[in-house]
Amino acid sequence: MNTPADVPNAQQNEFLQNYNKITQGTNRLMLFAADQKIEHLNNDFYGDFIHPEANHSKHIFNIAAQGRIGALATHLGLIARYGSEFKDVNYIVKLNGKTNLIETNKKDPMGSLLWTIEDIIKFKKDSGFNICGVGYSLYIGSEFEAQMLQEAAQVIYKAHQNGLVAILWVYPRGKNINKTNIDLTSGATGLANALGADFVKIKAPEENDYEISPFESLKIATHAAGNTKVICAGGEPEDTATFLKKLYEQINIGGTCGNATGRNIFQRSLHDAIAFTNAISAIVYDNKSANEAIKIYNSMAK
Amino acid sequence: MNTPADVPNAQQNEFLQNYNKITQGTNRLMLFAADQKIEHLNNDFYGDFIHPEANHSKHIFNIAAQGRIGALATHLGLIARYGSEFKDVNYIVKLNGKTNLIETNKKDPMGSLLWTIEDIIKFKKDSGFNICGVGYSLYIGSEFEAQMLQEAAQVIYKAHQNGLVAILWVYPRGKNINKTNIDLTSGATGLANALGADFVKIKAPEENDYEISPFESLKIATHAAGNTKVICAGGEPEDTATFLKKLYEQINIGGTCGNATGRNIFQRSLHDAIAFTNAISAIVYDNKSANEAIKIYNSMAK
Amino acid sequence: MNTPADVPNAQQNEFLQNYNKITQGTNRLMLFAADQKIEHLNNDFYGDFIHPEANHSKHIFNIAAQGRIGALATHLGLIARYGSEFKDVNYIVKLNGKTNLIETNKKDPMGSLLWTIEDIIKFKKDSGFNICGVGYSLYIGSEFEAQMLQEAAQVIYKAHQNGLVAILWVYPRGKNINKTNIDLTSGATGLANALGADFVKIKAPEENDYEISPFESLKIATHAAGNTKVICAGGEPEDTATFLKKLYEQINIGGTCGNATGRNIFQRSLHDAIAFTNAISAIVYDNKSANEAIKIYNSMAK
Amino acid sequence: MNTPADVPNAQQNEFLQNYNKITQGTNRLMLFAADQKIEHLNNDFYGDFIHPEANHSKHIFNIAAQGRIGALATHLGLIARYGSEFKDVNYIVKLNGKTNLIETNKKDPMGSLLWTIEDIIKFKKDSGFNICGVGYSLYIGSEFEAQMLQEAAQVIYKAHQNGLVAILWVYPRGKNINKTNIDLTSGATGLANALGADFVKIKAPEENDYEISPFESLKIATHAAGNTKVICAGGEPEDTATFLKKLYEQINIGGTCGNATGRNIFQRSLHDAIAFTNAISAIVYDNKSANEAIKIYNSMAK
Amino acid sequence: MNTPADVPNAQQNEFLQNYNKITQGTNRLMLFAADQKIEHLNNDFYGDFIHPEANHSKHIFNIAAQGRIGALATHLGLIARYGSEFKDVNYIVKLNGKTNLIETNKKDPMGSLLWTIEDIIKFKKDSGFNICGVGYSLYIGSEFEAQMLQEAAQVIYKAHQNGLVAILWVYPRGKNINKTNIDLTSGATGLANALGADFVKIKAPEENDYEISPFESLKIATHAAGNTKVICAGGEPEDTATFLKKLYEQINIGGTCGNATGRNIFQRSLHDAIAFTNAISAIVYDNKSANEAIKIYNSMAK
């Protein structure tokens, strides 16, 4: 792994340390993505089929501390309010956000920048927490794309200037976007590369215009990403085995470098969530097969 | 109570002092919320059933000075114009505001930031007043949500940087919001937690989609708030006993940590208003029953 | 008169000097308000029933220098271009403005900030002129209210920080405002108080919803203003006696603290305008009756 | 000529030098206004009845250097690219601009600020060019009036702060402007005075609502301008004698202080353009009659 | 070649070095323009008739390093991620961009500024890369023209302040633009000159309103550009011979100073792309005929 050239010499050690912490020396990333308190309000935290523990914010910190993850991605406010008890967790600070109260067909999405890189750097120094990087959600095709493209480019540039890893969430979304396919997804990953991101989180498309399997087509997008590493969003909750098998194929056929999973993890009890992070990390970091990962999960979960 | 990690070491004493002043060492807050001069113009201060004393701005300062409250929340202009005579009052400076002249169905709400944290810190130092914290109203679901989310996050972060307590007023409001229920309210409190607020002021929803009582359902929202403390708005004026009983249940069943009351207090004569603050504070700070509080009120009011 | 607490100690003498210059030690203000070159373009300066002298900008400075006024309120450009010849005039710099070319039913009003407080302070120091304070027009209910509320709050705060008196022009105006009545006017004055203004200029409403006289009802608004002083706009030109009688009632029944008059003064010849300012000031500053003031006018005017 | 009071003492010599350079000690200005490369794209530079030399940008510099003008007003980019060869020319830097590609009935005009006064001051110092002042186009009545009014006020203030002459182009234009007449033009010149401009460039109206000649009515506008000097735009190309006669009447009856001419000059061959500038300057600076000026032109042009 | 006067003395050597590097001492420029990862997402990089190598971002760097070009124009993110392996390439940093997801008939184009000149200067110093200049895309006639005109002017001014070459991409585009012809193109090039650009990239119009050949008419636009040099966009892929012949005519009849080519180069295999850059450079830099260039290509390509 070369450090990008927008990381100044004086920050290269810092950057490499951050990068290695979250990738565990593998160039892959198991990201526990839990920014839904703003993005989805309480929808993902309370309701049928959701474990009652999920409703309290501390649940995700308990999972992050006791499970095996590369980093927990969440908003600064939560980290500021819980981090003192969870100093060993690696954090990716999600810098922007929006609620789900306005539907896309009413108004195109715009996630506003809540904290600056300068804020994060100061916070890291003051708190001594393991802030390893930052995340930004970019909705290409939204009528607010111009503002978000600018913010995304600046977030990445300034993160690198300060030795932080930069992760972009890229979603084609807006009144003018009818469907996503592999071409659009490849555009999203290539754009993340052109903006200088270290990782790009995408939602793997279900369809493509080519006569190849979804995982084969995913390879087009991971290739178009150049040396920016692709991680796939977990998406809607699904059963453990299906999830783990899909993850294995994404990585080993599709060429992705890990995962970004939230709901599939934190809607479980603490115990099961821990087991699930271990299973995921076995695939991501230890190159285990899906079946081995399932075994790991089953041996731990109740 | 842990200080949040975005309060730097050098400001932790300051923060704890501010926090303890307004909570009186209880982790609860009796907030006298009087920002209506901007929010509702003169509607709450003059008219039938409103005591004539309410029409003059000094009324709220007289109540704050002589009644038992945790803090008075109001705009900086008023504090600047009256504070010299009321140096012992604890103040929460409400930083943003809007009038009620444009209805939500005409234009979504946007309360603009009137003063910065830097202004407040300078003012506190110059005046020597007991400025304990700041407040910000956030309308989630408004088409201006992006700007307000950003301002709210920054207000909280910078308040903490300077040792001030941060209180968020969160209201789902806008053309796209049809109703509020406990899920939405839980979203509001959880979002306040993710933004890092110390307290979140909400309007307790009248309805929920679950077969439980309103106070039981409120518990879902106070749980979703994590370690951010929930205080309920007083809302429309109502009779004293009803108010106090409801407050007792909100705290003791619903899990809230106090109240944010304005009109129910200041529309009374000075004498009665003082009595009412004492009754409220007995529930909030002394853990009295509703009946005990009613007795306190009746023994003092005319 | 207490200085507001947002005037730092080091600026309190400066503030009191400015305040006393324009109030002549009475807590009242005779404001010669002449910002119409921008607000109304040339409509108020040339035409039937307007004295030809009014067409040249120097006319208002001649009146200000030779008549008896508390201060001349006008835009910085004019003060910069004429002030060197009129160094003894007290000035209130009107900081924002708009033309009348777009009607309210086409677009809600927005008067942009033309100069900052920093500009004014520098200009005062460089020129040595008697810059005593600043003015800002705020259109509540306009769709641009959010921006103007913010600017108004900042103008007042920064004016006070620098020892300048702050005067707010507050007008409810916009597509969503159908009528003004005393409740709305009371809202305007109370809001000015909450923003911290020293004076608020309003247009006295012709109607109210109560069975009291217009001047009695005006008292509600001056009471709602708290310790912010209310001055009434002169409005459309009217005959001298009517004007002076109304002014007397506004002050002595309605509780206002002076006037803000422009067209009624400057559309006269220099000689008559001077006489008229003397008559107004006799009511405002010397507590003369309307009849005495009329006599003063008649003895001087041609 | 008094220097305006917003020119600090330390800059008054600089201001007077700049003012005297462009007015040649006469309080009048012959402005060669050539900002059309942005404003009208290539429409004024190539086509039937336009001399082929006009198509190359250097043409206007050749005219400016060899003809008799007070100053050349054009955009900074051109001055930066040609000025080294034309160091003796006096320049007025036009600071804003827009193309003509969107018609007013589609969108109201907005000319964005391309360079700041700070840029101009730095450029002047670095290059040693005769930068005597700046120009700004203001479209009153446009829905973007608020932004432009602010920029115009700031441009004038900051120009004066740095000893530069400030010239305002004021045009009433927008969907809400149906016609211009002398009242509106007087409003434009009076507004320029209230903003503090040294010169205001207007388009002389063809009509007025009074029973007086166009030149008599122009006098109303030059009177309303106070001590801001009025110069008339050249407008559409017209024949030499008509142009010069009209210019003479504008100055000697209408009370204007010069001209702002572009197309009428640069659409001619270099030789004829030089002759034409000399004829214009004879009227403006030497107080020659129109016939004398025509003779000057005829004796030189081919 | 004179350095523009907005390049300060202290930066003139730097500017001349940058200019000479990319023009190879000829005043002409062979620009390998590869900003499509953002502009067109993956459309130009994967699909029928596109060589599979094109899908990976490194392809363009391989071409830039091994082919003969003046400079590679692309976004900073890519340069940061690949530049360490390609230190000898001359770079033009494309500063703004937008995706193609919103069609012009839905919303006018706006390419937001992703990095500032200050970022580029810092990056150049930190990395030691051959950053020779910057590029900015300006859509005249778009409803966002005002913002882009301002950004373009500032980008050019600040680039020159720091010794960087400034290249403008100018495209008339928006709902109000029906067609481009030579008059509009001449307006685009003249505007670039008025903004101070060193080079302007245009799309050569297919039609004109004059009875002359396309290349003759192009001459009008290159003449209107004054001393700003015009380079033509490559546009849609076309066959090698046609491309090279057209390029020759553009330069030798139309008066352009080079080319800006992307897709026509990078959609080929590395081997063929290298051959093609050599053929183009032979015309641009060595003044070879189209046939000689075709021979060069054929002798190398497979």
Side-chain angles (χ1 to χ4, degrees), chain A residues 200-271:
Chain A
V200 58
K201 180 192 171 201
I202 55 161
K203 196 169 172 331
E206 305 294 326
E207 337 167 27
N208 64 67
D209 297 337
Y210 310 96
E211 294 184 356
I212 50 180
S213 80
F215 299 113
E216 282 296 331
S217 83
L218 186 55
K219 210 171 185 172
I220 302 171
T222 57
H223 194 241
N227 61 5
T228 292
K229 287 167 185 58
V230 178
I231 55 180
C232 283
E236 299 291 321
E238 54 195 346
D239 87 89
T240 304
T242 307
F243 181 98
L244 293 170
K245 279 176 192 158
K246 199 202 266 184
L247 175 62
Y248 180 85
E249 311 273 296
Q250 285 172 346
I251 292 174
N252 291 284
I253 301 178
T256 62
C257 292
N259 69 299
T261 312
R263 287 170 279 181
N264 273 293
I265 296 171
F266 67 65
Q267 291 185 350
R268 301 168 192 241
S269 70
L270 175 59
H271 189 92

Side-chain angles (χ1 to χ4, degrees), chain A residues 57 80 82 99 107 112-113 122, chain B residues 5 143 145-146 150 193 227:
Chain A
S57 311
Y82 290 98
T99 75
K107 195 185 171 196
S112 53
L113 196 65
K122 173 124 189 354
Chain B
E143 61 171 314
E145 180 193 282
Q150 184 178 59
N193 196 221
N227 60 7

Side-chain angles (χ1 to χ4, degrees), chain D residues 9-290:
Chain D
N9 280 336
Q11 297 292 337
Q12 292 194 357
N13 275 344
E14 170 77 15
F15 180 84
L16 283 172
Q17 279 175 25
N18 287 324
Y19 184 82
N20 287 330
K21 271 187 195 168
I22 65 174
T23 57
Q24 305 193 353
T26 67
N27 276 325
R28 287 200 187 145
L29 174 59
M30 189 292 191
L31 188 68
F32 179 26
D35 58 356
Q36 294 86 350
K37 281 260 167 185
I38 293 181
E39 300 296 337
H40 300 163
L41 294 175
N42 216 41
N43 300 3
D44 297 344
F45 298 95
Y46 186 86
D48 297 339
F49 312 112
I50 300 177
H51 193 278
E53 289 177 355
N55 192 40
H56 195 286
S57 310
K58 200 172 182 178
H59 185 55
I60 63 167
F61 287 84
N62 285 327
I63 299 169
Q66 299 174 49
R68 184 184 177 197
I69 65 169
L72 166 63
T74 193
H75 288 106
L76 186 71
L78 280 187
I79 301 174
R81 298 196 76 78
Y82 290 99
S84 301
E85 296 178 57
F86 301 94
K87 287 213 161 190
D88 292 332
V89 172
N90 294 328
Y91 294 106
I92 297 294
V93 184
K94 186 77 185 306
L95 295 179
N96 70 336
K98 55 175 267 310
T99 74
N100 56 0
L101 291 176
I102 304 183
E103 291 166 27
T104 299
N105 63 3
K106 294 279 174 51
K107 194 182 173 201
D108 274 6
M110 167 68 212
S112 53
L113 197 64
L114 304 174
W115 301 280
T116 67
I117 296 289
E118 290 74 21
D119 294 339
I120 305 308
I121 295 301
K122 172 119 190 358
F123 177 77
K124 177 174 183 170
K125 203 177 150 195
D126 285 350
S127 67
F129 294 176
N130 289 315
I131 309 287
C132 299
V134 294
Y136 184 91
S137 288
L138 166 60
Y139 301 100
I140 55 174
S142 160
E143 62 171 312
F144 303 102
E145 179 193 283
Q147 183 183 340
M148 286 185 284
L149 264 182
Q150 185 179 60
E151 289 181 2
Q154 284 293 305
V155 158
I156 294 167
Y157 176 78
K158 288 185 181 163
H160 285 178
Q161 288 288 308
N162 290 284
L164 296 175
V165 174
I167 305 179
L168 221 50
W169 278 230
V170 186
Y171 306 116
R173 194 175 303 169
K175 281 185 288 285
N176 294 297
I177 308 289
N178 295 314
K179 62 162 192 177
T180 43
N181 56 24
I182 194 61
D183 291 328
L184 193 45
T185 304
S186 302
T189 63
L191 173 139
N193 195 220
L195 291 174
D198 300 302
F199 290 90
V200 58
K201 180 192 172 200
I202 55 161
K203 195 167 170 334
E206 305 294 325
E207 335 167 27
N208 63 70
D209 296 337
Y210 308 98
E211 296 185 353
I212 49 178
S213 78
F215 299 112
E216 282 297 330
S217 83
L218 186 55
K219 211 169 181 171
I220 302 171
T222 57
H223 195 240
N227 60 9
T228 293
K229 287 167 186 60
V230 178
I231 54 179
C232 284
E236 298 292 320
E238 55 197 345
D239 86 89
T240 304
T242 307
F243 182 97
L244 293 171
K245 278 177 192 159
K246 200 203 266 184
L247 174 62
Y248 181 86
E249 310 272 297
Q250 286 173 345
I251 292 175
N252 290 284
I253 302 178
T256 61
C257 293
N259 68 298
T261 311
R263 287 171 279 180
N264 272 291
I265 295 170
F266 67 63
Q267 292 184 350
R268 299 168 195 243
S269 70
L270 175 58
H271 189 91
D272 286 7
I274 292 168
F276 196 49
T277 62
N278 289 8
I280 293 171
S281 284
I283 293 174
V284 173
Y285 291 131
D286 303 336
N287 234 354
K288 299 287 184 194
S289 69

Side-chain angles (χ1 to χ4, degrees), chain B residues 215 218-219 222-223 230 249-258:
Chain B
F215 300 112
L218 186 55
K219 212 171 180 169
T222 57
H223 195 240
V230 178
E249 311 272 296
Q250 285 172 347
I251 292 173
N252 291 283
I253 301 178
T256 62
C257 292

Side-chain angles (χ1 to χ4, degrees), chain E residues 31-207:
Chain E
L31 189 68
F32 178 26
D35 58 355
Q36 294 86 349
K37 282 260 167 186
I38 293 181
E39 299 296 336
H40 300 162
L41 295 174
N42 217 41
N43 300 3
D44 296 344
F45 298 95
Y46 186 86
D48 297 340
F49 312 112
I50 300 176
H51 194 279
E53 289 178 353
N55 192 41
H56 195 285
S57 311
K58 200 172 181 177
H59 185 56
I60 63 168
F61 288 84
N62 285 326
I63 298 168
Q66 299 173 50
R68 184 185 178 197
I69 64 169
L72 167 63
T74 193
H75 288 105
L76 185 72
L78 280 187
I79 301 173
R81 297 198 76 78
Y82 290 99
S84 302
E85 297 178 56
F86 301 94
K87 287 213 161 190
D88 293 333
V89 173
N90 294 329
Y91 294 107
I92 297 295
V93 185
K94 185 77 187 304
L95 294 180
N96 70 336
K98 56 176 268 307
T99 75
N100 56 1
L101 291 176
I102 304 183
E103 290 165 28
T104 299
N105 63 3
K106 293 281 174 49
K107 195 183 173 200
D108 273 6
M110 167 69 213
S112 54
L113 197 64
L114 304 173
W115 301 279
T116 66
I117 295 289
E118 290 75 21
D119 294 340
I120 304 310
I121 294 301
K122 173 122 190 357
F123 177 77
K124 177 173 183 170
K125 203 177 151 193
D126 285 351
S127 67
F129 293 176
N130 288 316
I131 309 288
C132 300
V134 293
Y136 184 92
S137 288
L138 167 60
Y139 302 99
I140 55 174
S142 160
E143 60 170 312
F144 303 103
E145 180 194 282
Q147 183 182 340
M148 286 185 284
L149 264 182
Q150 184 178 60
E151 290 182 1
Q154 284 293 305
V155 158
I156 293 166
Y157 176 77
K158 289 184 181 163
H160 285 179
Q161 287 288 308
N162 290 283
L164 295 175
V165 174
I167 305 180
L168 221 50
W169 278 230
V170 186
Y171 306 116
R173 194 175 303 169
K175 282 185 287 286
N176 294 297
I177 309 289
N178 296 315
K179 62 162 193 179
T180 42
N181 56 24
I182 194 60
D183 291 327
L184 194 43
T185 304
S186 301
T189 61
L191 173 138
N193 194 221
L195 291 174
D198 301 302
F199 291 90
V200 57
K201 179 192 173 201
I202 56 163
K203 195 168 173 331
E206 305 294 325
E207 334 167 28

Side-chain angles (χ1 to χ4, degrees), chain E residues 59 105 174 246 283 291:
Chain E
H59 185 56
N105 63 3
K246 200 202 267 185
I283 293 174
N291 282 337

Side-chain angles (χ1 to χ4, degrees), chain C residues 57 80 82 99 107 112-113 122, chain D residues 5 143 145-146 150 161 193:
Chain C
S57 310
Y82 290 98
T99 74
K107 193 183 172 198
S112 53
L113 197 64
K122 173 121 190 352
Chain D
E143 62 171 312
E145 179 193 283
Q150 185 179 60
Q161 288 288 308
N193 195 220

